[in-house]
């Protein structure tokens, strides 16, 4: 790929927080604490859902898998960001950038599907309680989780290949803390409208459609809850869904807002904030939300942790 303004790119430069030179050490400390908290919090959720006999039900099976996914999701971006802040070496090879983007998108798609599966589980539990264990058999749960992990892989690999097959301009600086779609498209030469169209189609299929399915589940759930004669029953039913609904709102709103921009309307500062929200804050608050709003999780944690905590 040669030309007057086209170069053979072998690496990119992640600008990250280069505009905040005096805060590099502070930001390293903040994100290190966040990452360790993600590992600890989600690791505890995985441990209790695997070992506590009272949590051997479908919803906690999904929660354990979701916590594992959150650890993977954060691990694709945060360690590299920490290394950049510590060493100030922001160069990343073309292949490393493509791999990071591909894994990041695969895990993002998996999160969309897994959150949809968890919404369906709550729908069955509340709207069809007598058939819950008949519908949500273990092999069905395993199939739903496996499907969530693998369904988007072929499309994401194809999208990543399409993006990194583009010719790149002389500038290889990515105004982001990790390799994401729009920073890469910004340094590509020529017309990227077809690539943007592919991104929109993927966002609709892997983001908006799951979000609509989740909304449909919760409309049915809320309709069923409002028909319950007991105020206590309604309160208990709402509390079983509030944790999941909070995580859904945080993840989907920020993710969809980020990836429905165009190359021209793209704001690097806005995308950086939004991407940090759904790549670090959702994995961070996930165990907190589920612990604070779930008595069974609190009891299991008290059994696991030393007396007095």
């Amino acid at each position: 790929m040669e030309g007057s303004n086209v170069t053979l790119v072998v690496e990119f430069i992640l600008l990250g927080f280069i505009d905040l030179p005096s805060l590099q050490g502070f930001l390293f400390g903040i994100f290190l604490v966040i990452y360790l908290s993600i590992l600890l919090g989600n690791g505890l959720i995985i441990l209790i859902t695997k070992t506590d006999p009272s949590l051997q039900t479908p919803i906690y099976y999904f929660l354990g898998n979701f916590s594992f996914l959150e650890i993977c999701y954060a691990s694709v971006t945060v360690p590299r960001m920490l290394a950049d802040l510590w060493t100030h070496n922001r160069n990343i090879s073309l292949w490393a950038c493509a791999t990071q983007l591909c894994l990041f998108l695969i895990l993002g798609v998996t999160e969309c599907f897994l959150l949809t599966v968890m919404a369906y589980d709550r729908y069955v539990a509340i709207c069809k309680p007598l058939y819950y264990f008949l519908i949500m058999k273990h092999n069905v749960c395993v199939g739903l989780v496996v499907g969530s992990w693998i369904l988007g892989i072929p499309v994401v690999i194809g999208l990543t290949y399409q993006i990194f097959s583009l010719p790149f301009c002389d500038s290889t600086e990515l105004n982001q803390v990790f390799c994401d779609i729009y920073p890469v498209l910004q340094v590509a030469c020529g017309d990227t409208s077809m690539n943007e169209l592919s991104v929109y189609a993927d966002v609709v299929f892997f983001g908006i459609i799951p979000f609509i399915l989740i909304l449909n589940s919760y409309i049915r759930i809320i309709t069923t809850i409002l028909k319950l004669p007991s105020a206590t029953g309604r309160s208990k039913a709402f509390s079983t869904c509030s944790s999941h609904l909070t995580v859904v709102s945080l993840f989907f709103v920020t993710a969809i807002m980020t990836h429905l921009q165009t190359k021209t309307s793209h704001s690097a500062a806005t995308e950086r904030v939004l991407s940090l929200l759904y790549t670090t804050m959702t994995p961070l608050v996930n165990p907190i939300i589920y612990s604070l709003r779930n008595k069974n999780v609190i009891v299991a944690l008290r059994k696991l942790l030393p007396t007095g905590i």
Side-chain angles (χ1 to χ4, degrees), residues 40 44 298-309:
L40 178 61
L44 284 174
I298 294 174
V299 171
L301 284 172
R302 285 176 177 170
K303 292 179 185 176
L304 180 66
L305 297 175
T307 305
I309 296 181

Side-chain angles (χ1 to χ4, degrees), residues 101 104-105 159 163-164 166 168 173-176 178-188 192-193 195-201 203 255-268 271-272 278:
L101 176 61
F104 174 72
L105 294 177
L159 178 64
I163 290 173
F164 283 88
L166 292 167
F168 293 99
E173 295 180 344
L174 306 183
N175 199 354
Q176 180 57 289
F178 59 89
C179 289
D180 204 354
I181 293 174
Y182 286 106
V184 175
L185 288 179
Q186 276 201 318
V187 298
T192 60
S193 57
N195 302 92
E196 291 185 27
L197 185 61
S198 296
V199 174
Y200 297 151
V203 170
I256 291 175
M257 284 176 62
T258 301
H259 291 104
L260 280 184
Q261 302 179 76
T262 64
K263 183 178 175 180
T264 53
S265 68
H266 162 83
S267 168
E271 185 189 355
R272 187 168 62 183
Y278 72 83

Side-chain angles (χ1 to χ4, degrees), residues 130-142:
L130 297 179
Y131 300 97
Y132 180 68
F133 289 103
L134 183 63
I135 296 173
M136 304 303 293
K137 296 178 181 178
H138 181 67
N139 60 334
V140 173
C141 295
V142 172

